[in-house]
Amino acid sequence: MNGGDEVVATPAGPTLPLEWKFSQVFGERAAGEEVQEVDIISAIEFDKSGDHLATGDRGGRVVLFERTDTKDHGGSRQDLETMDYPLSRHPEFRYKTEFQSHEPEFDYLKSLEIEEKINKIRWCQSANGALFLLSTNDKTIKFWKVQEKKIKKISEMNVDPSKAMGNGCVASSSNSNNPRTYIANGGSLDNSCNHLSDDFTFPSGGISSLRLPVVVSSHETSLVARCRRVYAHAHDYHINSISNNSDGETFISADDLRINLWNLEISNQSFNIVDVKPANMEDLTEVITSAEFHPMHCNMLAYSSSKGSIRLVDLRQSALCDSHAKLFEEQEAPGSRSFFTEIIASISDIKFSKDGRYILSRDYMTLKLWDINMDSGPVAAFQVHEYLRPKLCDLYENDSIFDKFECCLSGDGLRVATGSYSNLFRVFGCGPGSTEATTLEASKNPMRRQVPTPSRPSRSLGSSLTRVVRRGAESSGVDANGNSFDFTTKLLHLAWHPTENSIACAAANSLYMYYA
Amino acid sequence: MATIDEPLYPIAVLIDELKNDDIQLRLNSIRKLSTIARVLGEERTRKELIPFLGENNDDDDEVLLAMAEELGAFVPYVGGIEHANVLLPPLEALCSVEETSVRDKAVESLCRIGARMTGKDLIEYFIPLVKRLAAVEWFTARVSSCGLFHMAYPIAPEVSKTELRTIYGQLCQDDMPMVRRSAASHLGKFAATVEVTHLKTNILPIFEDLTRDEQDSVRLLAVEGCAALGKLVDPEDCVEIILPIMVNFSKDKSWRVRYMVANKLYELSEAVGPEPTRSDLLPAYVRLLRDNEAEVRIAAAGKVTQFSRILNPELAIQHILPCVKELSADSSQHVRSALASVIMGMAPDLGKDATIVQLLPIFLSLLKDDFPDVRLNIISKLDQVNQVIGIDLLSQSLLPAIVELAEDGHWRVRLAIIEYIPLLASQLGVEFFDDKLGALCMQWLKDKVYSIRDAAANNVKRLAEEFGPDWAMQHIIPQVLDMVNDQNYLYRMTILHAISLLAPVLGSEITSSKLLPLVINASKDRVPNIKFNVAKVLQSIIPVVDQSVVEKTIRPCLAELREDPDVDVRFFATQALKSSNQVGKSS
């Protein structure tokens, strides 16, 4: 992809296909081990620097990983705030910490269960050495701060802590025949203090017998995740995306019918900026499937729909952005319509390229790259798993056709990637003249499937495994051409490192990392 | 562990709880920081307490916020102004936390302390602090630093002044939009301290850069700077440099920027004077009144009166009024509502003739608006127009509007109109009121919604105040008294409530002759709720009437109620009797 006017370090001529190598795996399954539903990864996101990686799972947990191959972690302000320094080695990560972001809830007014599953994670600007991120489930967005804290102990106090416990315990004075009681957290203390300041004359030199608690900080540190804000009760439908703005103070959240704009510091109100809900719900033909802010222009955002269109919105134009600035849509070839045409046209994910010039979209069968300056059609389209086209009927029967695959672009904008079934994912070159189209498997040997269409015999799966996977459809098998596909092992979530050729992808509960 | 003397015990607990695990206890201790400081004495406060606070600043935001606030008033506890500098380090640390409210409070406290510090100390401690904050690698500290320059600059030596101006310029071009926003919003304050010579050479270029910022959020804060700077620079510079910027802003692509312009335009026109206002700002303002974004029109409509006041009446009639006419038929109800709340204010400026010819039709159309808020806004400002043209011209159209609002389906609308009834009554005069509105006021006493009945009772009282006891005797009391026998006990209760409110207004005579017999009568009601309300009303009447009436009528009635089978009735009767005893004793 020629990234706009200034192409940085693009080699002349087509780029060579990348040789992908296995780097790491977290949460690898032992043979025959059952996948716990709650452990299945449901979101992956690198931070802006690529030094941290976050995953969310169906159990509502967020797990953080940090890069280990960079030399200094303190870094200067420039490094940590803008963060793009080149590195020679491929990224390696280690487990940093995890925390419970969301809990299962029940909405009593609507009699609805709210799953704890993390739908999306987005990183925010780091500050004071702490990490900040937004995580969301279907209804509630939370703002988290993760910080290393030195463990501190209090070593000396005025009052023997065994006698005077702060937490509402009653402490009695030890050297008095007439024991007065002081409740630490209550009126009696306040009264006695007021009483003190009325009658008591403060000696000018102070009272030497009183001293401040002595705090000893050890060298041990612990990572503490604190929920700073909760943005709730703003969505009637399920939240499918969150995205932060380049202005550093706002973000959007999108559900099926509406997009809301929030200020990070204000959790009790949001502004509705897009509303596609028809007056009569029977007229509903299209829902919002994904939304993202432009990486540089604070006034632009894009959202995709179930009809396969992408709308670019300019927030400057009006307060309620019902009219789009640009519409990206591909006209279908006449005569090719079938029952499934509309279903597979639905866009499951969109991503802006790093420079903001391109938008990558994923629908069920294809990956499309759009130039935001050209709304007549995509500049490139890639077939992800064309061999499934004759199977659409089966995929519809077992609901797989509604799977929402994510997509991602490399930091240099020269390649795109997305997932498929049988734990496969595909990397395409989108630079000028590139014919790169690699199929990789989320396993320790990613290149063993290096053929355009998979021909490996089906991996034998214990019947126990298929039982626990959500849709539970019986689907592993070999089709007439000997091609295998396994609907239950789908690779929905993946992310490309912002500065290097490194991909993190989720196969059920395992996080695989590859580099090239 | 030291043994603590009895009187010191609470203070010892207070000090220990600075480090308690329970946040509520830590908060309590921090709020009593001045007590702790007084116990420790000035020297130990300086040498121990303040450094202790500085080291323990990784606490929860609530605690840090309280700490930032307490430290701002801590100068007396550290030994007076000559030691104020010891307070700066802990506040400096609080200036870089990520919670905005804590940082803002720390900046506020620093300014409070800085305002009292001597010039020498400011140079030695305060200015270096500002420079340090402005150079911290994390944006949070740089954001805070912007709010301190106006304290540091005036006393700085010449060399430092140049440096401070340069640093501020850099902050205005910071990589982080948050820092630029902070710099933009504090620019006016800082510029006010900068010498006029440097304003033009240093500050205006910085400002012009901000007005071209790519982030909408920065540009819209620069709009505020326009008005502030406009008042500081020479009028010529203002017209030459700032005016074009404002006019450009009024054509900005972003509606949020235009919205800010609509709010701030009149401030700048005050600064530039009438001639440039007419030639440049008026066309810009007219454009904003016709903006295609409703939010912008709302803001612009809200400033119609203020802007017209700056213009002469002819210009206002010629240019503003046509827009006002359009806005009164705007598609957005919020625009019409904003217009309705200010349009009355134009009447005094335009004069009687123009008001009758031009404004009256607009008033009338707004009075007939479909949206109740619009009508309410017109009615609430009726006094302003009354001063100019008199109510007669309006009364014919006013009445249907009021009646319609009075019967609106939404009780909040009915409530709002009730609140305006005393105002309307005073404007319209007794006769008009008697004819048309009296019946409404009685009707509200029987509303389905409690809040309305409650407000109606209050309304009756305010009318009695407005028109006097004689009028009330004639026009209110008979109807009210009539309703005391209503079938529905809730309405009877409303009447009791109205009586308790009316009694002090009408005075002892009328109360004991007209109102009291009714209340006494009601004490025989079959509903206990009425009976204990009778007790309450009697209690409130006691101070109004003569002691003899209390003895002869009220106390026997209460005594009877005290024997009532219902426990609540007995309770309130006993209470009322007790208070009657107290009144008896004191008199």
Side-chain angles (χ1 to χ4, degrees):
Chain A
M1 180 172 77
N2 43 356
D5 304 329
E6 33 185 335
V7 181
V8 187
T10 307
T15 47
L16 292 170
L18 295 172
E19 184 76 12
W20 288 93
K21 297 175 203 69
F22 169 78
S23 166
Q24 284 171 290
V25 59
F26 295 95
E28 193 187 17
R29 268 200 317 279
E33 186 189 337
E34 275 191 30
V35 181
Q36 295 296 318
E37 163 87 21
V38 289
D39 292 335
I40 294 174
I41 295 173
S42 56
I44 300 182
E45 189 75 12
F46 281 104
D47 74 347
K48 212 160 87 185
S49 65
D51 281 351
H52 295 93
L53 174 68
T55 64
D57 64 26
R58 292 191 181 202
R61 282 162 302 189
V62 170
V63 185
L64 302 186
F65 300 90
E66 68 182 344
R67 194 167 171 174
T68 54
D69 57 314
T70 49
K71 269 156 260 149
D72 62 326
H73 268 287
S76 72
R77 172 204 139 199
Q78 283 301 325
D79 288 342
L80 290 160
E81 283 184 357
T82 60
M83 297 219 195
D84 48 359
Y85 41 87
L87 286 156
S88 49
R89 296 195 56 211
H90 72 87
E92 273 180 24
F93 285 80
R94 71 162 170 238
Y95 170 87
K96 189 177 170 81
T97 186
E98 69 177 80
F99 56 91
Q100 188 73 37
S101 171
H102 287 72
E103 302 276 357
E105 284 175 86
F106 191 79
D107 183 337
Y108 294 96
L109 287 177
K110 292 183 181 150
S111 282
L112 269 180
E113 271 184 65
I114 303 170
E115 276 186 293
E116 67 272 36
K117 177 189 157 211
I118 305 291
N119 286 349
K120 280 278 161 29
I121 295 175
R122 286 290 179 270
W123 290 87
C124 300
Q125 188 66 50
S126 56
N128 297 338
L131 301 169
F132 293 89
L133 49 87
L134 288 166
S135 62
T136 186
N137 66 356
D138 284 340
K139 296 286 177 187
T140 308
I141 307 151
K142 293 185 179 178
F143 185 48
W144 291 91
K145 174 190 181 184
V146 183
Q147 191 178 29
E148 232 166 64
K149 277 198 169 175
K150 279 198 176 136
I151 296 167
K152 289 184 174 173
K153 284 193 190 109
I154 296 135
S155 70
E156 274 182 66
M157 292 194 124
N158 292 305
V159 181
D160 190 344
S162 62
K163 289 174 190 152
M165 297 290 287
N167 273 330
C169 290
V170 175
S172 61
S173 176
S174 54
N175 57 353
S176 169
N177 295 330
N178 173 23
R180 281 169 64 192
T181 53
Y182 301 101
I183 299 160
N185 186 13
S188 118
L189 177 67
D190 288 343
N191 290 341
S192 46
C193 280
N194 293 340
H195 169 75
L196 186 77
S197 44
D198 288 341
D199 299 359
F200 200 76
T201 47
F202 293 99
S204 59
I207 296 156
S208 56
S209 63
L210 289 172
R211 54 171 176 257
L212 293 162
V214 178
V215 178
V216 186
S217 58
S218 67
H219 293 290
E220 285 174 65
T221 57
S222 68
L223 276 166
V224 185
R226 278 195 61 196
C227 183
R228 305 270 307 174
R229 280 188 182 82
V230 178
Y231 313 89
H233 312 301
H235 285 280
D236 287 336
Y237 306 91
H238 288 183
I239 298 173
N240 54 48
S241 331
I242 45 176
S243 170
N244 15 26
N245 193 337
S246 57
D247 67 8
E249 72 171 352
T250 55
F251 72 93
I252 48 165
S253 56
D255 67 20
D256 294 341
L257 296 179
R258 296 192 180 98
I259 302 177
N260 291 336
L261 179 70
W262 301 83
N263 188 312
L264 273 168
E265 300 198 341
I266 301 166
S267 56
N268 59 4
Q269 68 170 351
S270 67
F271 295 96
N272 179 238
I273 49 172
V274 175
D275 187 348
V276 301
K277 189 179 178 190
N280 180 359
M281 280 299 265
E282 280 168 21
D283 301 335
L284 183 69
T285 56
E286 190 173 18
V287 297
I288 299 167
T289 54
S290 172
E292 194 177 45
F293 261 122
H294 190 279
M296 273 110 81
H297 299 307
C298 60
N299 55 293
M300 281 215 295
L301 72 90
Y303 68 91
S304 61
S305 82
S306 57
K307 274 192 164 172
S309 56
I310 302 166
R311 288 176 174 84
L312 199 62
V313 167
D314 188 346
L315 293 178
R316 294 180 302 188
Q317 274 178 345
S318 66
L320 189 62
C321 302
D322 284 344
S323 59
H324 50 81
K326 264 185 183 171
L327 175 68
F328 303 92
E329 200 169 36
E330 198 170 26
Q331 297 306 317
E332 59 184 277
S336 67
R337 270 195 79 85
S338 74
F339 174 71
F340 303 110
T341 310
E342 271 194 30
I343 300 171
I344 62 171
S346 176
I347 292 176
S348 51
D349 191 25
I350 54 167
K351 291 273 162 60
F352 271 102
S353 64
K354 207 176 171 189
D355 60 5
R357 168 88 184 267
Y358 297 91
I359 297 173
L360 180 68
S361 72
R362 168 72 204 259
D363 56 44
Y364 192 62
M365 297 300 285
T366 59
L367 199 56
K368 287 174 186 158
L369 190 69
W370 306 78
D371 186 333
I372 63 166
N373 300 323
M374 186 175 103
D375 50 11
S376 57
V379 288
F382 309 97
Q383 306 303 328
V384 179
H385 36 216
E386 200 56 23
Y387 63 94
L388 289 179
R389 204 172 277 279
K391 290 266 160 196
L392 285 175
C393 201
D394 298 341
L395 292 160
Y396 179 76
E397 292 281 305
N398 64 22
D399 273 359
S400 295
I401 205 164
F402 301 107
D403 285 336
K404 296 189 81 177
F405 290 98
E406 289 180 359
C407 58
C408 58
L409 290 115
S410 64
D412 56 14
L414 293 173
R415 289 177 183 82
V416 294
T418 192
S420 176
Y421 293 100
S422 312
N423 275 346
L424 297 180
F425 66 99
R426 306 208 64 196
V427 178
F428 302 98
C430 55
S434 173
T435 54
E436 184 177 347
T438 315
T439 305
L440 298 137
E441 186 188 20
S443 70
K444 286 190 173 174
N445 186 8
M447 296 297 264
R448 67 175 161 165
R449 303 281 290 254
Q450 192 45 265
V451 274
T453 50
S455 59
R456 190 182 63 96
S458 169
R459 190 156 63 123
S460 64
L461 285 155
S463 58
S464 58
L465 180 68
T466 37
R467 225 190 303 122
V468 293
V469 172
R470 186 169 59 115
R471 297 202 191 275
E474 284 305 319
S475 51
S476 78
V478 179
D479 74 3
N481 301 325
N483 288 337
S484 75
F485 47 90
D486 175 3
F487 303 139
T488 61
T489 53
K490 53 201 169 202
L491 197 150
L492 299 176
H493 310 283
L494 79 175
W496 201 304
H497 190 279
T499 54
E500 298 189 36
N501 282 329
S502 169
I503 292 179
C505 58
N509 63 338
S510 312
L511 175 69
Y512 285 92
M513 315 266 296
Y514 301 96
Y515 72 98
Chain B
M1 299 294 151
T3 324
I4 305 295
D5 295 338
E6 163 87 1
L8 288 180
Y9 191 85
I11 203 91
V13 173
L14 199 61
I15 293 175
D16 287 348
E17 281 175 358
L18 281 171
K19 281 277 123 193
N20 199 287
D21 287 339
D22 184 340
I23 178 176
Q24 205 52 49
L25 298 182
R26 292 201 303 277
L27 256 180
N28 281 346
S29 286
I30 288 284
R31 294 244 164 81
K32 298 248 161 61
L33 214 50
S34 55
T35 311
I36 294 174
R38 285 165 73 193
V39 171
L40 292 176
E42 290 168 357
E43 191 176 345
R44 288 185 66 200
T45 298
R46 287 198 300 273
K47 290 195 175 143
E48 294 174 35
L49 181 60
I50 300 296
F52 170 83
L53 295 175
E55 283 161 22
N56 292 286
N57 61 3
D58 57 351
D59 212 322
D60 288 304
D61 297 327
E62 295 92 320
V63 178
L64 296 183
L65 184 67
M67 195 196 290
E69 186 164 9
E70 292 293 327
L71 287 176
F74 230 59
V75 172
Y77 307 112
V78 292
I81 207 65
E82 60 268 33
H83 295 291
N85 57 289
V86 302
L87 295 172
L88 301 188
L91 284 169
E92 180 177 350
L94 292 176
C95 276
S96 56
V97 301
E98 67 278 351
E99 179 58 41
T100 313
S101 56
V102 176
R103 289 203 309 268
D104 289 350
K105 189 55 84 180
V107 167
E108 192 187 312
S109 289
L110 277 173
C111 289
R112 268 178 81 179
I113 295 167
R116 300 184 55 193
M117 283 169 81
T118 60
K120 187 176 136 289
D121 279 356
L122 278 170
I123 292 167
E124 196 177 338
Y125 300 105
F126 202 89
I127 294 177
L129 175 143
V130 176
K131 288 190 203 162
R132 272 198 306 278
L133 282 176
V136 172
E137 58 181 80
W138 298 109
F139 71 90
T140 46
R142 303 202 300 279
V143 166
S144 300
S145 73
C146 298
L148 296 169
F149 276 75
H150 70 284
M151 294 300 305
Y153 190 82
I155 47 85
E158 208 45 50
V159 193
S160 294
K161 281 190 171 176
T162 316
E163 205 181 345
L164 287 174
R165 288 196 304 269
T166 313
I167 295 173
Y168 205 90
Q170 285 160 357
L171 290 169
C172 288
Q173 293 175 353
D174 200 279
D175 294 342
M176 292 279 119
M178 301 80 153
V179 180
R180 299 204 300 276
R181 275 197 293 274
S182 177
S185 61
H186 289 107
L187 185 65
K189 254 194 296 182
F190 176 53
T193 64
V194 175
E195 299 82 355
V196 178
T197 47
H198 294 303
L199 264 184
K200 195 171 176 183
T201 51
N202 290 111
I203 302 299
L204 281 182
I206 292 176
F207 172 69
E208 284 176 273
D209 283 343
L210 284 174
T211 63
R212 287 190 290 265
D213 201 285
E214 56 178 12
Q215 290 279 346
D216 295 352
S217 52
V218 177
R219 283 206 310 281
L220 68 90
L221 289 170
V223 174
E224 279 187 72
C226 271
L229 282 174
K231 289 172 188 159
L232 296 172
V233 298
D234 300 332
E236 301 91 72
D237 287 338
C238 185
V239 172
E240 199 182 312
I241 299 165
I242 296 181
L243 194 63
I245 291 175
M246 196 65 148
V247 171
N248 259 338
F249 271 149
S250 75
K251 300 175 196 160
D252 200 283
K253 271 186 179 172
S254 168
W255 70 267
R256 288 167 66 200
V257 174
R258 298 198 303 273
Y259 174 88
M260 284 299 273
V261 174
N263 272 321
K264 293 285 166 187
L265 198 64
Y266 78 97
E267 281 187 37
L268 187 67
S269 59
E270 281 169 358
V272 295
E275 190 44 46
T277 297
R278 178 170 21 202
S279 59
D280 294 293
L281 292 182
L282 181 59
Y285 183 66
V286 168
R287 221 170 23 243
L288 293 171
L289 284 171
R290 293 182 167 140
D291 201 279
N292 55 20
E293 171 56 45
E295 298 283 342
V296 178
R297 294 200 302 276
I298 291 171
K303 301 291 177 199
V304 156
T305 302
Q306 276 155 307
F307 199 83
S308 311
R309 197 160 293 160
I310 295 158
L311 298 169
N312 61 42
E314 292 90 76
L315 279 174
I317 291 166
Q318 199 187 334
H319 297 283
I320 306 286
L321 265 181
C323 298
V324 168
K325 233 171 257 172
E326 286 168 31
L327 289 177
S328 70
D330 198 281
S331 58
S332 161
Q333 59 191 34
H334 303 289
V335 174
R336 300 197 304 273
S337 179
L339 183 71
S341 66
V342 296
I343 190 176
M344 289 302 196
M346 286 180 84
D349 296 316
L350 294 181
K352 185 165 181 173
D353 292 343
T355 301
I356 291 171
V357 179
Q358 309 277 353
L359 275 185
L360 198 57
I362 300 174
F363 293 160
L364 297 180
S365 83
L366 288 173
L367 260 183
K368 293 190 197 94
D369 202 282
D370 293 337
F371 188 57
D373 274 10
V374 178
R375 283 173 273 154
L376 274 175
N377 283 346
I378 284 283
I379 287 170
S380 67
K381 298 287 167 57
L382 212 55
D383 49 334
Q384 287 170 337
V385 74
N386 192 23
Q387 285 158 16
V388 184
I389 56 169
I391 210 77
D392 311 340
L393 277 167
L394 270 180
S395 56
Q396 287 316 309
S397 351
L398 209 50
L399 191 66
I402 294 169
V403 172
E404 210 177 306
L405 285 170
E407 289 163 354
D408 196 280
H410 291 280
W411 67 268
R412 285 173 209 283
V413 175
R414 299 202 296 278
L415 186 62
I417 190 73
I418 293 176
E419 317 251 292
Y420 292 126
I421 286 292
L423 171 80
L424 284 170
S426 69
Q427 297 292 322
L428 295 166
V430 176
E431 285 111 70
F432 185 85
F433 183 87
D434 288 347
D435 286 354
K436 322 280 184 191
L437 296 181
L440 277 178
C441 293
M442 294 304 134
Q443 182 186 321
W444 282 321
L445 285 170
K446 290 174 142 194
D447 200 278
K448 290 193 297 289
V449 178
Y450 170 76
S451 297
I452 301 296
R453 296 197 300 272
D454 187 55
N458 225 338
N459 178 45
V460 167
K461 179 198 95 177
R462 286 169 67 188
L463 287 173
E465 282 170 347
E466 178 71 37
F467 294 143
D470 294 340
W471 175 86
M473 270 307 291
Q474 267 194 334
H475 294 94
I476 298 184
I477 305 301
Q479 285 101 318
V480 168
L481 302 190
D482 213 30
M483 268 188 265
V484 87
N485 296 318
D486 196 282
Q487 287 271 301
N488 190 328
Y489 87 98
L490 289 171
Y491 298 157
R492 297 202 296 277
M493 221 141 82
T494 307
I495 299 305
L496 282 177
H497 179 52
I499 288 174
S500 74
L501 291 170
L502 281 169
V505 181
L506 298 181
S508 152
E509 191 79 359
I510 299 178
T511 302
S512 36
S513 66
K514 295 277 174 189
L515 301 181
L516 194 56
L518 280 173
V519 180
I520 300 297
N521 212 18
S523 72
K524 311 275 190 302
D525 205 288
R526 61 197 150 79
V527 181
N529 290 33
I530 297 287
K531 287 196 273 190
F532 76 67
N533 273 295
V534 166
K536 282 192 199 171
V537 172
L538 288 175
Q539 184 177 351
S540 74
I541 286 180
I542 288 168
V544 178
V545 295
D546 285 342
Q547 188 61 28
S548 61
V549 179
V550 174
E551 292 301 331
K552 217 167 61 203
T553 327
I554 295 181
R555 288 182 64 94
C557 176
L558 284 173
E560 200 173 311
L561 287 174
R562 198 171 51 180
E563 309 301 321
D564 198 89
D566 188 275
V567 59
D568 289 323
V569 177
R570 289 201 302 275
F571 172 79
F572 285 106
T574 315
Q575 274 213 324
L577 273 173
K578 257 188 219 156
S579 83
S580 82
N581 288 338
Q582 274 161 9
V583 172
K585 260 180 239 159
S586 63
S587 63

